[in-house]
Amino acid sequence: MRAKTIDRIATYVLTGIAVLIIAVLVGLLGFILTNGWHKLTFDFITSPPDLLKAGGGVGPQLFNSLYLLVLTMLISLPLGLGAGIYMAEYAPNNRITQSIRLCIEVLSSLPSIVVGLFGLLVFVTMTGWGYSLMSGALALTVFNLPLLVRISEDAIRNVPKSQKEASFALGISKWRTVVTVLLPAALPGIVTGAILASGRVFGEAAALLFTAGMSSPDLIFHDFNLDSPTSPLNPFRPAETLAVHIWKVNTEGLTPDARDVADGAAAILVLAVLLFNLGARWFGTWLFKKMTSVTR
Amino acid sequence: MNTLDFDQGNTIIRTKDLSVAYGEKTAVSKISMEIERNTVTAFIGPSGCGKSTFLRSLNRMNDLIPSCRVTGSIEIDGIEINDSNVNIEGLRQLVGMVFQRANPFFKSIYENIALAPRYHGIRSKAELDEIVEQSLRKAALWDEVKDRLKESALALSGGQQQRLCIARAIAMQPSILLLDEPASALDPISTMKVEELISELKDEYTIVIVTHNLHQAARISDKTAFFLMGELIEMNETSILFTSPAQKQTEDYITGKFG
């Protein structure tokens, strides 16, 4: 009788917590989207911001966010995956490995503003690049690496040991076993990790303030010369992202429609993250099916 | 590995004083055994008697366990495989293995079989197609899967998965097949199919099978080896071992007094 009562209470409490979390999430999303909905015009999404007058857009910022994401992933995914493979399959179980693991934990708990200041010192000043996409991407790599290493290590470890045995028993070398047997099987976990990391890149502001910078040149989208300061693809130009733009407009925006711009930018950011997540999930499923023939 | 310079009668596997230890614990102690070509040899004995460990030392799968130490000699086709300069990949091509639980790769039926031959150098699509078909035919699985080679192997039933694993091992064209309780996780009908398969395969391969099922050992093997506490108690023709065992322990085990 008593156990039953406790069970009922626990069920109610847990359901309540779940409902509360979902309510907060739905409320937040609804609030952001309803406030920003009216700004979601083609003009706002594509035109550059205006520093003084009303009517500016967030085109370059949206592009910067996406481009920075691509750059960051190009750098951090191979590193994270490589380190994950090493930790899961090659690292001997000893003091050094344990201390590497500890370092990764510590790195993952660094406040992002500290990562940003470290980035300012190393990737902006010491390299002499100034505020640039590349500096931002490297700072975000520092920020993301622990997560990626951890998740790919776990994903590879979670592949049943029998898969490895089967491969070794066929005389297949360790490296080829990792590449052709373990990685494909670990793919869903790795994709989830990459999506999580990407979400953080989209949303990150503090680590980017002093690395990718708080301004963006007026981009000329048909300029493909990588050296040109107005080329969207130049990785060594300053690049304010959407999240940084929201923060900047909110704190020091001078235009009369600053609030409006921030609301609109927030809505776009949320939608972009949503679309990206759905797209990445679809791609991950497609890739998994392609590599393993397994339909999930 | 060249079989031409091998002239030791019909023996294909010969171990001498083979011991295997995990850390301080001895799992197999000083076993000497000879296994003849194209026969089925069954290893029986209670859990933890060392029969699986012994089996896994024949293709050096124990190398995967860091604390594991193997001493003594194992000759396969006259070549000492415990030498440090032995090509382990080549050894495992020669000595195939099927595990207790079917472990198909997370890949299509076709890829499951083609993966290893491709790795070992066969690139031509036609040749791979041929290997896949022949291996599946030998494993008596072709008719059941020929229309869905591109589908995931995980969609097959447990018994089909295990036969796929046998086909995968055959695709390497090994001389020896090691089967580690291959039917222990299967239903009776699948078990029967695997047993039939084993009887057919012994024309081409030397088969060593670990089993918990004494009836199975009696049904399919030519010779049976009884293990207890890491030692080889008795090895003989299956018909003799089961009807008139020489050792008291063997008799107690096969009549069900322990185990």
Side-chain angles (χ1 to χ4, degrees):
Chain A
M1 197 60 197
R2 237 180 84 79
K4 249 185 177 171
T5 324
I6 293 173
D7 193 43
R8 282 243 302 273
I9 294 172
T11 309
Y12 285 134
V13 170
L14 292 176
T15 313
I17 292 172
V19 168
L20 190 74
I21 291 171
I22 294 169
V24 168
L25 200 68
V26 170
L28 210 64
L29 266 179
F31 180 77
I32 292 171
L33 287 180
T34 45
N35 274 339
W37 195 250
H38 66 283
K39 291 297 281 183
L40 295 182
T41 61
F42 181 75
D43 203 37
F44 181 70
I45 293 173
T46 53
S47 59
D50 201 310
L51 288 180
L52 301 168
K53 297 194 301 298
V58 292
Q61 282 71 22
L62 180 58
F63 177 81
N64 288 343
S65 282
L66 292 170
Y67 190 35
L68 187 65
L69 175 70
V70 172
L71 272 183
T72 307
M73 280 309 177
L74 278 181
I75 301 170
S76 57
L77 210 53
L79 284 177
L81 206 53
I85 291 172
Y86 174 77
M87 296 297 280
E89 288 299 321
Y90 291 88
N93 192 6
N94 60 18
R95 276 247 156 87
I96 301 171
T97 309
Q98 279 163 19
S99 59
I100 294 178
R101 207 161 267 136
L102 186 71
C103 288
I104 294 173
E105 304 268 313
V106 171
L107 204 60
S108 73
S109 57
L110 275 186
S112 57
I113 188 72
V114 174
V115 175
L117 290 171
F118 171 78
L120 174 66
L121 186 70
V122 178
F123 305 132
V124 176
T125 314
M126 280 169 71
T127 57
W129 293 337
Y131 292 145
S132 71
L133 273 163
M134 194 51 89
S135 315
L138 288 173
L140 288 178
T141 297
V142 172
F143 188 64
N144 262 340
L145 216 46
L147 182 74
L148 283 171
V149 174
R150 185 64 179 276
I151 285 185
S152 25
E153 181 187 349
D154 284 350
I156 293 167
R157 271 188 201 281
N158 284 339
V159 176
K161 201 171 147 243
S162 62
Q163 292 281 311
K164 201 159 86 176
E165 275 188 336
S167 182
F168 283 166
L170 291 166
I172 296 176
S173 70
K174 184 166 187 174
W175 170 242
R176 277 294 287 268
T177 298
V178 168
V179 175
T180 56
V181 175
L182 299 186
L183 275 186
L187 199 67
I190 295 170
V191 168
T192 308
I195 291 176
L196 276 176
S198 307
R200 296 192 349 164
V201 172
F202 262 126
E204 185 53 38
L208 291 174
L209 295 176
F210 311 119
T211 51
M214 281 183 273
S215 65
S216 182
D218 285 341
L219 301 176
I220 300 169
F221 279 95
H222 50 78
D223 183 355
F224 294 113
N225 178 4
L226 285 184
D227 287 336
S228 155
T230 53
S231 166
L233 296 181
N234 179 355
F236 295 101
R237 65 175 174 83
E240 180 195 35
T241 65
L242 261 186
V244 173
H245 189 61
I246 293 169
W247 176 82
K248 195 178 83 174
V249 168
N250 259 328
T251 49
E252 51 189 50
L254 297 175
T255 56
D257 64 347
R259 183 63 211 272
D260 250 12
V261 170
D263 286 347
I268 290 175
L269 187 58
V270 166
L271 283 177
V273 171
L274 213 62
L275 282 179
F276 176 82
N277 271 2
L278 291 176
R281 258 168 229 287
W282 173 83
F283 175 73
T285 313
W286 176 81
L287 193 65
F288 184 65
K289 187 168 171 356
K290 182 126 180 87
M291 293 177 80
T292 63
S293 314
V294 178
T295 26
R296 285 196 307 151
Chain B
M1 297 201 171
N2 194 340
T3 51
L4 288 177
D5 56 3
F6 172 68
D7 185 28
Q8 302 186 35
N10 225 1
T11 303
I12 187 165
I13 303 172
R14 170 178 293 140
T15 72
K16 192 151 190 309
D17 291 337
L18 182 73
S19 298
V20 185
Y22 300 112
E24 296 295 299
K25 192 180 170 302
T26 302
V28 166
S29 67
K30 300 217 162 190
I31 291 186
S32 301
M33 182 190 285
E34 289 187 10
I35 292 174
E36 281 169 29
R37 205 177 289 278
N38 294 8
T39 57
V40 178
T41 304
F43 290 176
I44 59 171
S47 299
C49 67
K51 58 193 189 302
S52 281
T53 303
F54 181 82
L55 188 80
R56 290 167 64 95
S57 57
L58 299 180
N59 65 344
R60 290 193 51 179
M61 283 302 278
N62 287 327
D63 288 13
L64 294 186
I65 303 159
S67 66
C68 185
R69 252 177 331 105
V70 180
T71 51
S73 135
I74 306 172
E75 277 177 30
I76 289 181
D77 263 357
I79 292 163
E80 173 57 54
I81 65 160
N82 278 339
D83 269 359
S84 53
N85 58 3
V86 154
N87 170 5
I88 292 186
E89 292 187 10
L91 168 69
R92 288 178 183 159
Q93 272 178 273
L94 193 73
V95 186
M97 186 167 213
V98 174
F99 297 83
Q100 183 172 6
R101 292 202 162 272
N103 52 0
F105 296 127
F106 292 18
K107 292 179 187 298
S108 68
I109 294 168
Y110 184 95
E111 271 307 306
N112 257 280
I113 295 178
L115 185 77
R118 191 185 294 124
Y119 170 75
H120 292 292
I122 296 169
R123 300 277 170 209
S124 125
K125 171 94 171 67
E127 239 179 300
L128 285 172
D129 286 353
E130 180 65 19
I131 289 175
V132 169
E133 177 170 346
Q134 286 310 319
S135 310
L136 285 170
R137 278 192 193 281
K138 280 186 195 163
L141 193 59
W142 174 251
D143 290 330
E144 292 163 58
V145 302
K146 64 179 176 216
D147 298 322
R148 44 179 182 145
L149 293 176
K150 298 289 169 205
E151 284 173 34
S152 169
L154 303 185
L156 297 173
S157 73
Q160 288 174 324
Q161 289 190 5
Q162 193 60 294
R163 277 181 286 147
L164 179 68
C165 292
I166 294 175
R168 183 174 67 184
I170 292 173
M172 308 287 301
Q173 298 176 313
S175 320
I176 300 169
L177 271 181
L178 307 177
L179 310 177
D180 192 356
E181 300 191 41
S184 66
L186 301 181
D187 61 84
I189 292 175
S190 303
T191 302
M192 199 179 75
K193 284 191 176 170
V194 169
E195 286 183 12
E196 283 172 3
L197 180 58
I198 291 169
S199 306
E200 280 167 31
L201 290 175
K202 79 168 182 184
D203 291 342
E204 286 180 67
Y205 309 98
T206 305
I207 294 172
V208 185
I209 178 171
V210 165
T211 179
H212 259 121
N213 183 335
L214 297 179
H215 297 293
Q216 185 171 61
R219 276 192 300 267
I220 61 175
S221 69
D222 303 308
K223 285 203 171 177
T224 298
F226 173 59
F227 288 70
L228 187 64
M229 314 268 278
E231 287 178 32
L232 176 62
I233 303 298
E234 184 173 357
M235 180 171 179
N236 212 331
E237 303 286 334
T238 299
S239 52
I240 298 174
L241 187 123
F242 277 99
T243 49
S244 46
Q247 302 294 327
K248 179 81 172 61
Q249 291 141 308
T250 315
E251 187 178 348
D252 286 350
Y253 183 71
I254 60 177
T255 52
K257 289 209 178 121
F258 73 100

